Amino acid sequence: MENKNDMAMYEIDANTYYLQGRSLMLEKQFVPAVFSYLKAVITLKKCNRIDRIIPNLNMLKRALNNVEPEKIDLLDRVLASRLDNTFVNLITEIENEISIDSTILITTNELRTIYLNKKTMPNTV
């Protein structure tokens, strides 16, 4: 019973992070939106709600596409301080124990590519 309650709380937390991400997207606060969607996906994975990960990953992809390359360092600092991890490591964590034929892996590979492309873009500011 306690485990069931814990899983329900994780799912509520994931929903909260998702809604926070949507609100931040509307406010054009893309770095915090990326954080919120990442947190939602990680939390969904904790409660084994793999079926709900793809919509969150798609929103994460939209947010990441809108992060300006010069703000990638800010994203890195946010993830390091709040999640004690890097973007690439978090994506790898999401991929762990996911079926090889899952569309989740396609989306996570796209996310990794977007991030790395932005990370290696020359800073023109």
Side-chain angles (χ1 to χ4, degrees):
M1 186 68 145
E2 188 174 324
N3 186 41
K4 189 175 180 178
N5 285 340
D6 288 345
M7 294 302 133
M9 290 305 294
Y10 285 137
E11 191 169 351
I12 289 168
D13 287 348
N15 291 336
T16 302
Y17 281 111
Y18 172 79
L19 293 172
Q20 178 176 294
R22 288 195 50 142
S23 176
L24 289 163
M25 286 288 288
L26 291 172
E27 296 171 9
K28 298 188 184 322
Q29 298 294 317
F30 301 116
V31 169
V34 168
F35 167 81
S36 294
Y37 289 127
L38 269 172
K39 188 70 174 168
V41 171
I42 291 165
T43 308
L44 284 169
K45 193 152 182 221
K46 271 186 190 177
C47 67
N48 204 27
R49 287 303 309 263
I50 306 302
D51 59 311
R52 298 206 29 243
I53 287 179
I54 285 292
N56 281 274
L57 286 176
N58 288 334
M59 292 302 290
L60 171 57
K61 189 168 134 184
R62 282 183 62 200
L64 186 60
N65 273 325
N66 283 293
V67 172
E68 297 166 351
E70 58 270 11
K71 292 195 176 179
I72 288 295
D73 288 338
L74 172 61
L75 174 61
D76 291 339
R77 288 191 305 272
V78 168
L79 296 176
S81 69
R82 304 275 313 272
L83 298 176
D84 198 28
N85 220 329
T86 67
F87 186 86
V88 172
N89 286 345
L90 291 166
I91 294 299
T92 301
E93 182 181 319
I94 292 164
E95 293 171 330
N96 286 340
E97 299 176 15
I98 297 293
S99 171
I100 194 74
D101 59 347
S102 174
T103 56
I104 290 172
L105 297 181
I106 294 168
T107 308
T108 54
N109 280 326
E110 291 171 353
L111 286 163
R112 188 180 287 109
T113 300
I114 293 166
Y115 171 81
L116 292 174
N117 285 341
K118 287 181 181 274
K119 184 88 173 153
T120 58
M121 276 187 185
N123 190 349
T124 58
V125 176

